[in-house]
Amino acid sequence: MAAVTEKTICCHCQQDIKVLSIDEDGREFCCPGCLSVFHIISQNNLEQFYQYRETSGESGWQIPEFRDENFSYLDSEQIHRDYIPERDGFKTMLFYLEGIHCIACLWLIEKLPQLVLGTDYAKVNLSKSTVEVKINREGSFSKVANMLVRMGYFPHPIFKEDQLESLRQKEERTLLIRIGVAAACAMNIMLFAISLYGGASGTLAKYFGYFCMILSLPVVMYSALPFYHSSLAALKSRHINIDVPLSLAILLGFFISSFNVFKGSDVHYFDSITTLTFLILFSRYLLRRVQQNGLSVASLSQFFDRGDIKKVENGNIISIHKKYLQKQDHIQVLPGEMIPVDGEIIEGKSSLNTSALTGESGTVPAFKGSKVFAGTENIESPLIIKVEALNEETRMGRIFEKIERLHQDQAPIVRLTDKFSRVFLVSVLLLASILFLYFSFTASVEIALMRTLSLIIITCPCALGLAIPLTFTRSIASAAKEGIIIKDETVVEKINHCKNLYLDKTGTITHGKYSVEKIEHLQPLQAQLAHDEVIYQLEKFSKHPLAKAIRNELSQTERNNISLEHYKEILGKGVYGQVGENRYHITGIESSSDFVQLGLFENNQLVSKITLSDKVRDDSKNLIKKMRNLGLNIFMLTGDKKSNAIKVADSVQIDHKNIYAESNPEQKAEIVEKDASSIMVGDGANDTLALKLSSVGIAVQGSIDVGLKVSDVYFSNPGLAGIYNLLKLGKRTLHTVYGILIFTTLYNLAGATLATMGLIGPLQAAIIMPISSLIVTAISFYGTKGESR
């Protein structure tokens, strides 16, 4: 190690070198930590990290101070037993990382599998500063943690979700304290400033100036620290961010004001800089809260979560909240309820609707010993389930975590505005320099300082840099509340450029479930009973979807209250009962058509046929008309027979030339791939390839996991309403973004003009600028508040 004799830049972090470390090739580093990280990157052929850092446009990279910590406890059997369960030979742990902030960091950390033996994958969530690491049986979390330290990212293992929340709350408390200090000082300074503006002079004005300077010290030296840290990091990495002009305005205003106070002048800007600091911190806090309330696993879990749980305890059923549920507890799930946990059936026999996980629309039998998963619906009978996994540990929870990680990609317009913000900042600083020089020579230094300071304050592009990403975040969260899961921000923008909509028939135009088409009575019943009455009584207690359809059809039938005895339902075989000496049962029969047929048998002789079909939705015709009015060409792309496709198309007014019937998966994929502006909507396995190759793929119902692997959007609800709402959402979002761009452009032009002409001072600028941020936030809120239809 050697002392530095002249200013040198570190080969790794690009900061000024104070104490020099030199490797064997003569490269210079600011510390042994940077030297170590550089060698890790070089030895593993990861030099692309530096290219990512240069092109990311992110500000500042500074390696955290190295700390000695023994992470061997992460490999202890107790830790693994209590907090890190093994699944399929793999174990997963979440780390909160210090020092992570840009895409280059993300790229480097996700190379952990190449650096640490036994590491299966590492997935970074930039918005939460976390990395999820999965290891196999040869892996070691202690080695992963030590490697992260050597790379410059100090890890905090997160064993429970509340630990991560605790770290966030700690950071939030610090921010609130800074806001409180700034608010208290600004208000007291304003009291003195009012006296000065009112004409206070002489000794009184002098002392008031000193009081204002003293009160501004906590704001400048504590509350505004985040601005300085961000600005220094940006400047060291040769970038400019939105905190650079803010820091410049605060420090310039403070030192000029202090100089004037010592000189005996009553011209100072302590009220302006403290008010500015308070309002900026407060507006950022509000935006932070809004972003935290965006799309998350918690907001997505509304599709399967239940607050009220029926727990079985000592043979009794008690109602508890889900947060008090623990593994190994026993719970009761009644017919028609969603199963809220992963577990095993220990009592009962039923059938389950597992479409959210498997994509299959039918039911599957469930009995003692069967494994069940959160997000599936119990159909027929009560079940007692032993809890094996809760919340994010469930299969559905892990799927939702994957969805949350998919929201990292930014829309092109967001990336464009980020670049524009940086260009705008450089332009403002150049204009401020020119303005200062001009008025210094043509007027006075005091006027030059006042107008320059007003310009820097009022033209800060905070609104532009924060409100547009917020708009996309709120749009995605708004869609999630309607059961529309959007993979990333690019979809919201991309869907506006699509012109052709290809609809699969089943589950979108039609209900995707059966209803009664007709009931044919082949011969009279021996007991002189009404056929419909016997059918209704047999299906009365069944939870099967076809039974529900029959009950709905016969709900208005006259009741003779026949006495049905020996009722039973056998899974996969049908329902049975007896009236007097006659035995009846309903079961499936073969059909030569595309319809489903059930038969009513009396003493094993077929006496009635029940035909069920998938009917067109009542709102399909109107919604297709509305989507056509949005400028879309509507096509039907189905594997069904052409006669059935034409029948459905005629009912919703789709042109015959836009019908692609009897299409196999390859043909569907070929059709949408040739169309550069296609939206494909499908709900079956035969639509997978077409969904993948379309410009925007929309999976309707089916498996959420599989759906989001091959498509851009997942609908938890069938039908066309969600598609129409998504199209409207895309248009509203872009209109909102354009509105924000227009407002910020006009605001900055007007603000710069007023500051240059001296029509507003630093105090007015400090008040107006945060208000502009709140206005564009309000525009974002209004534009993305959603509408029911």
Side-chain angles (χ1 to χ4, degrees), residues 33 160 188 288 318 346 384 393 414 527 551 588 635 692:
K160 295 182 179 179
N188 282 282
R288 179 191 180 100
I318 61 173
I346 61 172
I384 305 297
E393 294 181 0
V414 176
R551 288 200 302 272
F635 297 83
K692 186 71 174 176

Side-chain angles (χ1 to χ4, degrees), residues 269 272 435 447 449-459 747-769:
Y269 313 106
S272 302
L435 191 68
I447 292 177
L449 285 172
M450 181 176 291
R451 297 193 182 187
T452 302
L453 194 59
S454 300
L455 175 68
I456 292 174
I457 292 174
I458 202 167
T459 55
Y747 159 78
N748 281 295
L749 286 174
T753 302
L754 293 173
T756 302
M757 297 175 64
L759 298 177
I760 58 173
L763 179 60
Q764 294 93 327
I767 295 173
I768 293 172
M769 194 275 284

